[in-house]
Amino acid sequence: VPPPEQIIITSENFKTVAHWQYPSMSETPHFIVEIKPYTSGRYKNVSGCVDIAAPVCDLTSVISDASESHWLRVKAVVGSQQSVYVETKEFILRKQGKIGPPKLSLSRHNNEILVDIYHPA
């Protein structure tokens, strides 16, 4: 069974997601995703990302410390066979996460200009 390829972790406005590529097969592959925070030094299953068919995993609720290093690994399971795990490079939300621009609203009331600033979506 071939392993997953091109595992990428992205984060925008604290919504953190991993996605990867997998070749087409006659039987539907399922994936197991594990995460290793630096502090524990051990891999654990990502709840909601065990035995999934889609090549995507939401990590938003799993990464709570924006300054801590994390590593992810993913393996494919096809029928009774499985691939080796493929590990990502280090991911640090504080360094690699992106925050979009705030939303602005301008309005004029008599001689005043009001500026409302909203958090990114």
Side-chain angles (χ1 to χ4, degrees):
V1 173
E5 298 175 344
Q6 300 174 12
I7 304 169
I8 297 169
I9 302 173
T10 58
S11 183
E12 189 167 337
N13 298 333
F14 295 102
K15 172 126 175 98
T16 307
V17 178
H19 46 93
W20 55 90
Q21 301 294 318
Y22 200 77
S24 295
M25 301 191 79
S26 58
E27 202 173 334
T28 304
H30 287 83
F31 304 98
I32 297 172
V33 182
E34 295 184 344
I35 192 164
K36 177 174 72 172
Y38 176 79
T39 51
S40 75
R42 290 180 288 124
Y43 276 102
K44 63 178 182 175
N45 285 342
V46 175
S47 62
C49 297
V50 176
D51 197 30
I52 57 172
V56 63
C57 174
D58 187 345
L59 303 168
T60 305
S61 63
V62 181
I63 298 178
S64 57
D65 185 344
S67 60
E68 185 175 28
S69 297
H70 291 83
W71 291 266
L72 198 73
R73 68 182 186 180
V74 182
K75 76 175 176 180
V77 178
V78 179
S80 62
Q81 297 183 344
Q82 54 188 331
S83 73
V84 296
Y85 276 104
V86 177
E87 188 177 69
T88 63
K89 294 179 181 177
E90 176 185 40
F91 177 80
I92 302 172
L93 180 60
R94 184 187 70 197
K95 289 183 179 180
Q96 292 147 292
K98 295 180 181 174
I99 302 293
K103 212 176 204 183
L104 295 175
S105 172
L106 296 174
S107 58
R108 190 174 82 179
H109 295 284
N110 299 325
N111 292 344
E112 298 177 337
I113 295 177
L114 299 176
V115 178
D116 290 315
I117 301 174
Y118 302 96
H119 290 288

mmCIF file with all atom_site columns, all heavy atoms in Angstrom, residues 34-60:
data_model
loop_
_atom_site.group_PDB
_atom_site.id
_atom_site.type_symbol
_atom_site.label_atom_id
_atom_site.label_alt_id
_atom_site.label_comp_id
_atom_site.label_asym_id
_atom_site.label_entity_id
_atom_site.label_seq_id
_atom_site.pdbx_PDB_ins_code
_atom_site.Cartn_x
_atom_site.Cartn_y
_atom_site.Cartn_z
_atom_site.occupancy
_atom_site.B_iso_or_equiv
_atom_site.pdbx_formal_charge
_atom_site.auth_seq_id
_atom_site.auth_comp_id
_atom_site.auth_asym_id
_atom_site.auth_atom_id
_atom_site.pdbx_PDB_model_num
ATOM 1   N N   . GLU A 1 34 ? -2.057  10.913 13.357 1.00 0.00 ? 34 GLU A N   1
ATOM 2   C CA  . GLU A 1 34 ? -1.558  11.050 14.720 1.00 0.00 ? 34 GLU A CA  1
ATOM 3   C C   . GLU A 1 34 ? -0.763  12.341 14.843 1.00 0.00 ? 34 GLU A C   1
ATOM 4   O O   . GLU A 1 34 ? -0.178  12.801 13.862 1.00 0.00 ? 34 GLU A O   1
ATOM 5   C CB  . GLU A 1 34 ? -0.668  9.858  15.099 1.00 0.00 ? 34 GLU A CB  1
ATOM 6   C CG  . GLU A 1 34 ? -1.406  8.541  15.143 1.00 0.00 ? 34 GLU A CG  1
ATOM 7   C CD  . GLU A 1 34 ? -0.526  7.389  15.605 1.00 0.00 ? 34 GLU A CD  1
ATOM 8   O OE1 . GLU A 1 34 ? 0.718   7.529  15.597 1.00 0.00 ? 34 GLU A OE1 1
ATOM 9   O OE2 . GLU A 1 34 ? -1.089  6.349  15.980 1.00 0.00 ? 34 GLU A OE2 1
ATOM 10  N N   . ILE A 1 35 ? -0.749  12.911 16.059 1.00 0.00 ? 35 ILE A N   1
ATOM 11  C CA  . ILE A 1 35 ? -0.026  14.157 16.308 1.00 0.00 ? 35 ILE A CA  1
ATOM 12  C C   . ILE A 1 35 ? 0.895   13.967 17.505 1.00 0.00 ? 35 ILE A C   1
ATOM 13  O O   . ILE A 1 35 ? 0.561   13.243 18.449 1.00 0.00 ? 35 ILE A O   1
ATOM 14  C CB  . ILE A 1 35 ? -0.999  15.336 16.520 1.00 0.00 ? 35 ILE A CB  1
ATOM 15  C CG1 . ILE A 1 35 ? -0.244  16.659 16.485 1.00 0.00 ? 35 ILE A CG1 1
ATOM 16  C CG2 . ILE A 1 35 ? -1.813  15.168 17.795 1.00 0.00 ? 35 ILE A CG2 1
ATOM 17  C CD1 . ILE A 1 35 ? -1.154  17.864 16.307 1.00 0.00 ? 35 ILE A CD1 1
ATOM 18  N N   . LYS A 1 36 ? 2.056   14.625 17.431 1.00 0.00 ? 36 LYS A N   1
ATOM 19  C CA  . LYS A 1 36 ? 3.021   14.557 18.532 1.00 0.00 ? 36 LYS A CA  1
ATOM 20  C C   . LYS A 1 36 ? 3.377   15.977 18.966 1.00 0.00 ? 36 LYS A C   1
ATOM 21  O O   . LYS A 1 36 ? 4.095   16.679 18.263 1.00 0.00 ? 36 LYS A O   1
ATOM 22  C CB  . LYS A 1 36 ? 4.288   13.813 18.105 1.00 0.00 ? 36 LYS A CB  1
ATOM 23  C CG  . LYS A 1 36 ? 5.364   13.771 19.194 1.00 0.00 ? 36 LYS A CG  1
ATOM 24  C CD  . LYS A 1 36 ? 6.554   12.910 18.799 1.00 0.00 ? 36 LYS A CD  1
ATOM 25  C CE  . LYS A 1 36 ? 7.390   13.551 17.743 1.00 0.00 ? 36 LYS A CE  1
ATOM 26  N NZ  . LYS A 1 36 ? 8.655   12.828 17.476 1.00 0.00 ? 36 LYS A NZ  1
ATOM 27  N N   . PRO A 1 37 ? 2.878   16.416 20.126 1.00 0.00 ? 37 PRO A N   1
ATOM 28  C CA  . PRO A 1 37 ? 3.306   17.697 20.677 1.00 0.00 ? 37 PRO A CA  1
ATOM 29  C C   . PRO A 1 37 ? 4.718   17.547 21.268 1.00 0.00 ? 37 PRO A C   1
ATOM 30  O O   . PRO A 1 37 ? 5.081   16.475 21.757 1.00 0.00 ? 37 PRO A O   1
ATOM 31  C CB  . PRO A 1 37 ? 2.303   18.004 21.784 1.00 0.00 ? 37 PRO A CB  1
ATOM 32  C CG  . PRO A 1 37 ? 1.224   16.981 21.648 1.00 0.00 ? 37 PRO A CG  1
ATOM 33  C CD  . PRO A 1 37 ? 1.794   15.831 20.893 1.00 0.00 ? 37 PRO A CD  1
ATOM 34  N N   . TYR A 1 38 ? 5.483   18.611 21.226 1.00 0.00 ? 38 TYR A N   1
ATOM 35  C CA  . TYR A 1 38 ? 6.847   18.567 21.740 1.00 0.00 ? 38 TYR A CA  1
ATOM 36  C C   . TYR A 1 38 ? 6.884   18.153 23.211 1.00 0.00 ? 38 TYR A C   1
ATOM 37  O O   . TYR A 1 38 ? 7.727   17.357 23.612 1.00 0.00 ? 38 TYR A O   1
ATOM 38  C CB  . TYR A 1 38 ? 7.514   19.931 21.555 1.00 0.00 ? 38 TYR A CB  1
ATOM 39  C CG  . TYR A 1 38 ? 8.894   19.993 22.141 1.00 0.00 ? 38 TYR A CG  1
ATOM 40  C CD1 . TYR A 1 38 ? 9.978   19.446 21.469 1.00 0.00 ? 38 TYR A CD1 1
ATOM 41  C CD2 . TYR A 1 38 ? 9.123   20.583 23.377 1.00 0.00 ? 38 TYR A CD2 1
ATOM 42  C CE1 . TYR A 1 38 ? 11.251  19.479 22.001 1.00 0.00 ? 38 TYR A CE1 1
ATOM 43  C CE2 . TYR A 1 38 ? 10.387  20.624 23.928 1.00 0.00 ? 38 TYR A CE2 1
ATOM 44  C CZ  . TYR A 1 38 ? 11.451  20.071 23.240 1.00 0.00 ? 38 TYR A CZ  1
ATOM 45  O OH  . TYR A 1 38 ? 12.712  20.111 23.776 1.00 0.00 ? 38 TYR A OH  1
ATOM 46  N N   . THR A 1 39 ? 5.960   18.696 24.016 1.00 0.00 ? 39 THR A N   1
ATOM 47  C CA  . THR A 1 39 ? 6.006   18.448 25.459 1.00 0.00 ? 39 THR A CA  1
ATOM 48  C C   . THR A 1 39 ? 5.813   16.980 25.828 1.00 0.00 ? 39 THR A C   1
ATOM 49  O O   . THR A 1 39 ? 6.480   16.487 26.723 1.00 0.00 ? 39 THR A O   1
ATOM 50  C CB  . THR A 1 39 ? 4.952   19.283 26.220 1.00 0.00 ? 39 THR A CB  1
ATOM 51  O OG1 . THR A 1 39 ? 3.686   19.103 25.608 1.00 0.00 ? 39 THR A OG1 1
ATOM 52  C CG2 . THR A 1 39 ? 5.321   20.740 26.228 1.00 0.00 ? 39 THR A CG2 1
ATOM 53  N N   . SER A 1 40 ? 4.929   16.275 25.137 1.00 0.00 ? 40 SER A N   1
ATOM 54  C CA  . SER A 1 40 ? 4.724   14.860 25.476 1.00 0.00 ? 40 SER A CA  1
ATOM 55  C C   . SER A 1 40 ? 5.738   13.971 24.771 1.00 0.00 ? 40 SER A C   1
ATOM 56  O O   . SER A 1 40 ? 6.121   12.924 25.291 1.00 0.00 ? 40 SER A O   1
ATOM 57  C CB  . SER A 1 40 ? 3.307   14.406 25.120 1.00 0.00 ? 40 SER A CB  1
ATOM 58  O OG  . SER A 1 40 ? 3.172   14.232 23.728 1.00 0.00 ? 40 SER A OG  1
ATOM 59  N N   . GLY A 1 41 ? 6.134   14.362 23.563 1.00 0.00 ? 41 GLY A N   1
ATOM 60  C CA  . GLY A 1 41 ? 7.099   13.562 22.816 1.00 0.00 ? 41 GLY A CA  1
ATOM 61  C C   . GLY A 1 41 ? 6.559   12.241 22.312 1.00 0.00 ? 41 GLY A C   1
ATOM 62  O O   . GLY A 1 41 ? 7.309   11.393 21.850 1.00 0.00 ? 41 GLY A O   1
ATOM 63  N N   . ARG A 1 42 ? 5.224   12.061 22.395 1.00 0.00 ? 42 ARG A N   1
ATOM 64  C CA  . ARG A 1 42 ? 4.609   10.811 21.951 1.00 0.00 ? 42 ARG A CA  1
ATOM 65  C C   . ARG A 1 42 ? 3.472   11.104 20.978 1.00 0.00 ? 42 ARG A C   1
ATOM 66  O O   . ARG A 1 42 ? 2.748   12.074 21.143 1.00 0.00 ? 42 ARG A O   1
ATOM 67  C CB  . ARG A 1 42 ? 4.049   10.032 23.142 1.00 0.00 ? 42 ARG A CB  1
ATOM 68  C CG  . ARG A 1 42 ? 5.108   9.449  24.047 1.00 0.00 ? 42 ARG A CG  1
ATOM 69  C CD  . ARG A 1 42 ? 4.510   8.691  25.222 1.00 0.00 ? 42 ARG A CD  1
ATOM 70  N NE  . ARG A 1 42 ? 3.929   9.663  26.155 1.00 0.00 ? 42 ARG A NE  1
ATOM 71  C CZ  . ARG A 1 42 ? 2.668   9.639  26.565 1.00 0.00 ? 42 ARG A CZ  1
ATOM 72  N NH1 . ARG A 1 42 ? 1.841   8.710  26.164 1.00 0.00 ? 42 ARG A NH1 1
ATOM 73  N NH2 . ARG A 1 42 ? 2.222   10.552 27.400 1.00 0.00 ? 42 ARG A NH2 1
ATOM 74  N N   . TYR A 1 43 ? 3.321   10.224 20.003 1.00 0.00 ? 43 TYR A N   1
ATOM 75  C CA  . TYR A 1 43 ? 2.213   10.350 19.069 1.00 0.00 ? 43 TYR A CA  1
ATOM 76  C C   . TYR A 1 43 ? 0.928   9.857  19.703 1.00 0.00 ? 43 TYR A C   1
ATOM 77  O O   . TYR A 1 43 ? 0.935   8.882  20.473 1.00 0.00 ? 43 TYR A O   1
ATOM 78  C CB  . TYR A 1 43 ? 2.467   9.542  17.801 1.00 0.00 ? 43 TYR A CB  1
ATOM 79  C CG  . TYR A 1 43 ? 3.309   10.291 16.796 1.00 0.00 ? 43 TYR A CG  1
ATOM 80  C CD1 . TYR A 1 43 ? 4.651   10.010 16.642 1.00 0.00 ? 43 TYR A CD1 1
ATOM 81  C CD2 . TYR A 1 43 ? 2.744   11.293 16.009 1.00 0.00 ? 43 TYR A CD2 1
ATOM 82  C CE1 . TYR A 1 43 ? 5.427   10.701 15.719 1.00 0.00 ? 43 TYR A CE1 1
ATOM 83  C CE2 . TYR A 1 43 ? 3.506   11.984 15.094 1.00 0.00 ? 43 TYR A CE2 1
ATOM 84  C CZ  . TYR A 1 43 ? 4.851   11.686 14.946 1.00 0.00 ? 43 TYR A CZ  1
ATOM 85  O OH  . TYR A 1 43 ? 5.605   12.372 14.046 1.00 0.00 ? 43 TYR A OH  1
ATOM 86  N N   . LYS A 1 44 ? -0.178  10.520 19.386 1.00 0.00 ? 44 LYS A N   1
ATOM 87  C CA  . LYS A 1 44 ? -1.502  10.061 19.809 1.00 0.00 ? 44 LYS A CA  1
ATOM 88  C C   . LYS A 1 44 ? -2.462  10.292 18.648 1.00 0.00 ? 44 LYS A C   1
ATOM 89  O O   . LYS A 1 44 ? -2.255  11.181 17.808 1.00 0.00 ? 44 LYS A O   1
ATOM 90  C CB  . LYS A 1 44 ? -1.975  10.794 21.063 1.00 0.00 ? 44 LYS A CB  1
ATOM 91  C CG  . LYS A 1 44 ? -2.151  12.279 20.868 1.00 0.00 ? 44 LYS A CG  1
ATOM 92  C CD  . LYS A 1 44 ? -2.661  12.955 22.121 1.00 0.00 ? 44 LYS A CD  1
ATOM 93  C CE  . LYS A 1 44 ? -2.852  14.440 21.827 1.00 0.00 ? 44 LYS A CE  1
ATOM 94  N NZ  . LYS A 1 44 ? -3.434  15.171 22.906 1.00 0.00 ? 44 LYS A NZ  1
ATOM 95  N N   . ASN A 1 45 ? -3.508  9.478  18.583 1.00 0.00 ? 45 ASN A N   1
ATOM 96  C CA  . ASN A 1 45 ? -4.504  9.628  17.521 1.00 0.00 ? 45 ASN A CA  1
ATOM 97  C C   . ASN A 1 45 ? -5.175  10.989 17.605 1.00 0.00 ? 45 ASN A C   1
ATOM 98  O O   . ASN A 1 45 ? -5.426  11.497 18.699 1.00 0.00 ? 45 ASN A O   1
ATOM 99  C CB  . ASN A 1 45 ? -5.585  8.554  17.630 1.00 0.00 ? 45 ASN A CB  1
ATOM 100 C CG  . ASN A 1 45 ? -5.099  7.201  17.178 1.00 0.00 ? 45 ASN A CG  1
ATOM 101 O OD1 . ASN A 1 45 ? -4.101  7.073  16.481 1.00 0.00 ? 45 ASN A OD1 1
ATOM 102 N ND2 . ASN A 1 45 ? -5.797  6.169  17.596 1.00 0.00 ? 45 ASN A ND2 1
ATOM 103 N N   . VAL A 1 46 ? -5.492  11.555 16.454 1.00 0.00 ? 46 VAL A N   1
ATOM 104 C CA  . VAL A 1 46 ? -6.278  12.781 16.392 1.00 0.00 ? 46 VAL A CA  1
ATOM 105 C C   . VAL A 1 46 ? -7.737  12.349 16.325 1.00 0.00 ? 46 VAL A C   1
ATOM 106 O O   . VAL A 1 46 ? -8.150  11.697 15.367 1.00 0.00 ? 46 VAL A O   1
ATOM 107 C CB  . VAL A 1 46 ? -5.912  13.632 15.159 1.00 0.00 ? 46 VAL A CB  1
ATOM 108 C CG1 . VAL A 1 46 ? -6.823  14.838 15.053 1.00 0.00 ? 46 VAL A CG1 1
ATOM 109 C CG2 . VAL A 1 46 ? -4.451  14.061 15.213 1.00 0.00 ? 46 VAL A CG2 1
ATOM 110 N N   . SER A 1 47 ? -8.508  12.688 17.375 1.00 0.00 ? 47 SER A N   1
ATOM 111 C CA  . SER A 1 47 ? -9.909  12.264 17.376 1.00 0.00 ? 47 SER A CA  1
ATOM 112 C C   . SER A 1 47 ? -10.614 12.869 16.168 1.00 0.00 ? 47 SER A C   1
ATOM 113 O O   . SER A 1 47 ? -10.393 14.009 15.809 1.00 0.00 ? 47 SER A O   1
ATOM 114 C CB  . SER A 1 47 ? -10.603 12.683 18.670 1.00 0.00 ? 47 SER A CB  1
ATOM 115 O OG  . SER A 1 47 ? -10.606 14.083 18.781 1.00 0.00 ? 47 SER A OG  1
ATOM 116 N N   . GLY A 1 48 ? -11.435 12.082 15.539 1.00 0.00 ? 48 GLY A N   1
ATOM 117 C CA  . GLY A 1 48 ? -12.117 12.520 14.325 1.00 0.00 ? 48 GLY A CA  1
ATOM 118 C C   . GLY A 1 48 ? -11.308 12.281 13.061 1.00 0.00 ? 48 GLY A C   1
ATOM 119 O O   . GLY A 1 48 ? -11.789 12.524 11.956 1.00 0.00 ? 48 GLY A O   1
ATOM 120 N N   . CYS A 1 49 ? -10.068 11.821 13.213 1.00 0.00 ? 49 CYS A N   1
ATOM 121 C CA  . CYS A 1 49 ? -9.214  11.567 12.040 1.00 0.00 ? 49 CYS A CA  1
ATOM 122 C C   . CYS A 1 49 ? -8.628  10.154 12.078 1.00 0.00 ? 49 CYS A C   1
ATOM 123 O O   . CYS A 1 49 ? -7.480  9.926  11.724 1.00 0.00 ? 49 CYS A O   1
ATOM 124 C CB  . CYS A 1 49 ? -8.102  12.611 11.968 1.00 0.00 ? 49 CYS A CB  1
ATOM 125 S SG  . CYS A 1 49 ? -8.713  14.290 11.725 1.00 0.00 ? 49 CYS A SG  1
ATOM 126 N N   . VAL A 1 50 ? -9.429  9.219  12.558 1.00 0.00 ? 50 VAL A N   1
ATOM 127 C CA  . VAL A 1 50 ? -9.041  7.810  12.567 1.00 0.00 ? 50 VAL A CA  1
ATOM 128 C C   . VAL A 1 50 ? -10.034 7.076  11.680 1.00 0.00 ? 50 VAL A C   1
ATOM 129 O O   . VAL A 1 50 ? -11.243 7.221  11.840 1.00 0.00 ? 50 VAL A O   1
ATOM 130 C CB  . VAL A 1 50 ? -9.065  7.235  13.999 1.00 0.00 ? 50 VAL A CB  1
ATOM 131 C CG1 . VAL A 1 50 ? -8.768  5.744  13.991 1.00 0.00 ? 50 VAL A CG1 1
ATOM 132 C CG2 . VAL A 1 50 ? -8.073  7.969  14.884 1.00 0.00 ? 50 VAL A CG2 1
ATOM 133 N N   . ASP A 1 51 ? -9.520  6.329  10.708 1.00 0.00 ? 51 ASP A N   1
ATOM 134 C CA  . ASP A 1 51 ? -10.354 5.591  9.762  1.00 0.00 ? 51 ASP A CA  1
ATOM 135 C C   . ASP A 1 51 ? -11.234 6.534  8.936  1.00 0.00 ? 51 ASP A C   1
ATOM 136 O O   . ASP A 1 51 ? -12.423 6.305  8.748  1.00 0.00 ? 51 ASP A O   1
ATOM 137 C CB  . ASP A 1 51 ? -11.202 4.546  10.492 1.00 0.00 ? 51 ASP A CB  1
ATOM 138 C CG  . ASP A 1 51 ? -11.761 3.505  9.549  1.00 0.00 ? 51 ASP A CG  1
ATOM 139 O OD1 . ASP A 1 51 ? -11.113 3.227  8.522  1.00 0.00 ? 51 ASP A OD1 1
ATOM 140 O OD2 . ASP A 1 51 ? -12.866 2.992  9.814  1.00 0.00 ? 51 ASP A OD2 1
ATOM 141 N N   . ILE A 1 52 ? -10.614 7.612  8.451  1.00 0.00 ? 52 ILE A N   1
ATOM 142 C CA  . ILE A 1 52 ? -11.340 8.578  7.612  1.00 0.00 ? 52 ILE A CA  1
ATOM 143 C C   . ILE A 1 52 ? -11.040 8.324  6.143  1.00 0.00 ? 52 ILE A C   1
ATOM 144 O O   . ILE A 1 52 ? -9.958  7.867  5.798  1.00 0.00 ? 52 ILE A O   1
ATOM 145 C CB  . ILE A 1 52 ? -10.980 10.040 7.990  1.00 0.00 ? 52 ILE A CB  1
ATOM 146 C CG1 . ILE A 1 52 ? -9.474  10.283 7.880  1.00 0.00 ? 52 ILE A CG1 1
ATOM 147 C CG2 . ILE A 1 52 ? -11.493 10.366 9.383  1.00 0.00 ? 52 ILE A CG2 1
ATOM 148 C CD1 . ILE A 1 52 ? -9.055  11.735 8.053  1.00 0.00 ? 52 ILE A CD1 1
ATOM 149 N N   . ALA A 1 53 ? -12.001 8.614  5.281  1.00 0.00 ? 53 ALA A N   1
ATOM 150 C CA  . ALA A 1 53 ? -11.814 8.392  3.846  1.00 0.00 ? 53 ALA A CA  1
ATOM 151 C C   . ALA A 1 53 ? -11.285 9.640  3.140  1.00 0.00 ? 53 ALA A C   1
ATOM 152 O O   . ALA A 1 53 ? -10.609 9.534  2.125  1.00 0.00 ? 53 ALA A O   1
ATOM 153 C CB  . ALA A 1 53 ? -13.130 7.953  3.211  1.00 0.00 ? 53 ALA A CB  1
ATOM 154 N N   . ALA A 1 54 ? -11.577 10.808 3.659  1.00 0.00 ? 54 ALA A N   1
ATOM 155 C CA  . ALA A 1 54 ? -11.132 12.056 3.028  1.00 0.00 ? 54 ALA A CA  1
ATOM 156 C C   . ALA A 1 54 ? -9.679  12.342 3.390  1.00 0.00 ? 54 ALA A C   1
ATOM 157 O O   . ALA A 1 54 ? -9.270  12.128 4.531  1.00 0.00 ? 54 ALA A O   1
ATOM 158 C CB  . ALA A 1 54 ? -12.019 13.208 3.474  1.00 0.00 ? 54 ALA A CB  1
ATOM 159 N N   . PRO A 1 55 ? -8.892  12.863 2.444  1.00 0.00 ? 55 PRO A N   1
ATOM 160 C CA  . PRO A 1 55 ? -7.493  13.175 2.723  1.00 0.00 ? 55 PRO A CA  1
ATOM 161 C C   . PRO A 1 55 ? -7.329  14.542 3.390  1.00 0.00 ? 55 PRO A C   1
ATOM 162 O O   . PRO A 1 55 ? -6.543  15.387 2.948  1.00 0.00 ? 55 PRO A O   1
ATOM 163 C CB  . PRO A 1 55 ? -6.849  13.139 1.337  1.00 0.00 ? 55 PRO A CB  1
ATOM 164 C CG  . PRO A 1 55 ? -7.939  13.562 0.425  1.00 0.00 ? 55 PRO A CG  1
ATOM 165 C CD  . PRO A 1 55 ? -9.219  13.029 1.030  1.00 0.00 ? 55 PRO A CD  1
ATOM 166 N N   . VAL A 1 56 ? -8.067  14.754 4.464  1.00 0.00 ? 56 VAL A N   1
ATOM 167 C CA  . VAL A 1 56 ? -8.035  16.032 5.175  1.00 0.00 ? 56 VAL A CA  1
ATOM 168 C C   . VAL A 1 56 ? -8.382  15.787 6.643  1.00 0.00 ? 56 VAL A C   1
ATOM 169 O O   . VAL A 1 56 ? -9.194  14.908 6.942  1.00 0.00 ? 56 VAL A O   1
ATOM 170 C CB  . VAL A 1 56 ? -8.995  17.058 4.525  1.00 0.00 ? 56 VAL A CB  1
ATOM 171 C CG1 . VAL A 1 56 ? -10.426 16.604 4.610  1.00 0.00 ? 56 VAL A CG1 1
ATOM 172 C CG2 . VAL A 1 56 ? -8.832  18.424 5.114  1.00 0.00 ? 56 VAL A CG2 1
ATOM 173 N N   . CYS A 1 57 ? -7.748  16.549 7.540  1.00 0.00 ? 57 CYS A N   1
ATOM 174 C CA  . CYS A 1 57 ? -7.981  16.383 8.976  1.00 0.00 ? 57 CYS A CA  1
ATOM 175 C C   . CYS A 1 57 ? -7.961  17.756 9.641  1.00 0.00 ? 57 CYS A C   1
ATOM 176 O O   . CYS A 1 57 ? -7.001  18.510 9.481  1.00 0.00 ? 57 CYS A O   1
ATOM 177 C CB  . CYS A 1 57 ? -6.888  15.493 9.569  1.00 0.00 ? 57 CYS A CB  1
ATOM 178 S SG  . CYS A 1 57 ? -6.949  15.323 11.365 1.00 0.00 ? 57 CYS A SG  1
ATOM 179 N N   . ASP A 1 58 ? -9.005  18.069 10.398 1.00 0.00 ? 58 ASP A N   1
ATOM 180 C CA  . ASP A 1 58 ? -9.095  19.334 11.117 1.00 0.00 ? 58 ASP A CA  1
ATOM 181 C C   . ASP A 1 58 ? -8.346  19.203 12.441 1.00 0.00 ? 58 ASP A C   1
ATOM 182 O O   . ASP A 1 58 ? -8.686  18.379 13.282 1.00 0.00 ? 58 ASP A O   1
ATOM 183 C CB  . ASP A 1 58 ? -10.563 19.694 11.369 1.00 0.00 ? 58 ASP A CB  1
ATOM 184 C CG  . ASP A 1 58 ? -10.746 21.079 11.953 1.00 0.00 ? 58 ASP A CG  1
ATOM 185 O OD1 . ASP A 1 58 ? -9.756  21.684 12.432 1.00 0.00 ? 58 ASP A OD1 1
ATOM 186 O OD2 . ASP A 1 58 ? -11.886 21.578 11.931 1.00 0.00 ? 58 ASP A OD2 1
ATOM 187 N N   . LEU A 1 59 ? -7.326  20.031 12.617 1.00 0.00 ? 59 LEU A N   1
ATOM 188 C CA  . LEU A 1 59 ? -6.482  19.989 13.812 1.00 0.00 ? 59 LEU A CA  1
ATOM 189 C C   . LEU A 1 59 ? -6.773  21.141 14.767 1.00 0.00 ? 59 LEU A C   1
ATOM 190 O O   . LEU A 1 59 ? -6.082  21.307 15.771 1.00 0.00 ? 59 LEU A O   1
ATOM 191 C CB  . LEU A 1 59 ? -5.006  20.053 13.401 1.00 0.00 ? 59 LEU A CB  1
ATOM 192 C CG  . LEU A 1 59 ? -4.523  18.971 12.445 1.00 0.00 ? 59 LEU A CG  1
ATOM 193 C CD1 . LEU A 1 59 ? -3.147  19.320 11.900 1.00 0.00 ? 59 LEU A CD1 1
ATOM 194 C CD2 . LEU A 1 59 ? -4.508  17.625 13.132 1.00 0.00 ? 59 LEU A CD2 1
ATOM 195 N N   . THR A 1 60 ? -7.784  21.938 14.471 1.00 0.00 ? 60 THR A N   1
ATOM 196 C CA  . THR A 1 60 ? -8.059  23.156 15.224 1.00 0.00 ? 60 THR A CA  1
ATOM 197 C C   . THR A 1 60 ? -8.178  22.901 16.723 1.00 0.00 ? 60 THR A C   1
ATOM 198 O O   . THR A 1 60 ? -7.592  23.627 17.531 1.00 0.00 ? 60 THR A O   1
ATOM 199 C CB  . THR A 1 60 ? -9.337  23.838 14.693 1.00 0.00 ? 60 THR A CB  1
ATOM 200 O OG1 . THR A 1 60 ? -9.177  24.064 13.288 1.00 0.00 ? 60 THR A OG1 1
ATOM 201 C CG2 . THR A 1 60 ? -9.590  25.157 15.385 1.00 0.00 ? 60 THR A CG2 1
#
